Amino acid sequence: MAPLSPEDLLGPAIITIATAFQFGSMAKGVGAARRAHKVNPPSTDGPPEFKRVFRAYMNYVEFLPFFLSVVWVNSIFCHQAVSLVLGLFYMYYRNQYFVEYSKSARAREAPFKRAVLFLRLLGYSAGVGILLVAVNKFADVDLIAMARSHLGR
């Protein structure tokens, strides 16, 4: 495996920085909800309108380590373009989840399911990439080269 260059890591770097901005934006949303509903820190209890915004944010925080992990692993073992596209879709639906959950608990379900779908796709494609590298390294079988030869490339 060739050493990675900065160009090989543009996709996950873009996703990581965009995620940091998204994280900050959602944190600002919680701050605005605190002010609107007069919920002083560190309290996390308040009216249902505040609780929905806070739970949407906390759910985002709970998924963040898994998301960033699979973005980076996918970029290294699969391809950064796959990671970038799937990661952007995930981020879009996480934003939709935050917006919709802030309005209504019921409205959060569709964007949540879509976000989880893209998170799973990131994980599955990373797993396939890891498997291909492991088979090549430990069994000396290049499954990609075999597939290319069978496809006539």
Side-chain angles (χ1 to χ4, degrees):
M1 183 180 241
L4 293 173
S5 70
E7 291 85 12
D8 297 325
L9 302 175
L10 281 173
I14 289 167
I15 291 293
T16 301
I17 295 301
T19 299
F21 282 109
Q22 186 177 48
F23 181 76
S25 174
M26 289 182 186
K28 281 177 64 176
V30 172
R34 281 187 182 283
R35 287 186 297 281
H37 301 291
K38 297 175 178 47
V39 177
N40 293 321
S43 180
T44 58
D45 196 20
E49 296 81 10
F50 169 75
K51 286 181 183 179
R52 283 195 309 270
V53 173
F54 185 75
R55 273 309 311 148
Y57 172 73
M58 288 308 297
N59 187 269
Y60 180 82
V61 170
E62 291 161 0
F63 273 76
L64 203 53
F66 182 64
F67 170 62
L68 289 175
S69 298
V70 295
V71 162
W72 280 89
V73 172
N74 185 294
S75 294
I76 293 166
F77 287 94
C78 183
H79 195 282
Q80 70 169 324
V82 172
S83 185
L84 180 64
V85 170
L86 294 176
L88 287 172
F89 274 109
Y90 173 82
M91 290 179 66
Y92 171 78
Y93 286 115
R94 287 308 292 196
N95 189 68
Q96 290 304 110
Y97 172 82
F98 184 81
V99 168
E100 295 302 322
Y101 197 180
S102 296
K103 296 178 197 172
S104 159
R106 220 176 258 246
R108 78 187 193 281
E109 292 176 20
F112 180 77
K113 287 178 181 178
R114 289 183 183 112
V116 168
L117 169 68
F118 284 101
L119 190 58
R120 285 181 176 166
L121 291 172
L122 273 165
Y124 295 152
S125 56
V128 168
I130 291 168
L131 179 66
L132 292 173
V133 170
V135 167
N136 191 3
K137 170 95 175 143
F138 299 113
D140 199 26
V141 176
D142 189 343
L143 295 174
I144 302 251
M146 288 173 61
R148 284 185 180 144
S149 70
H150 286 307
L151 295 172
R153 288 185 169 176

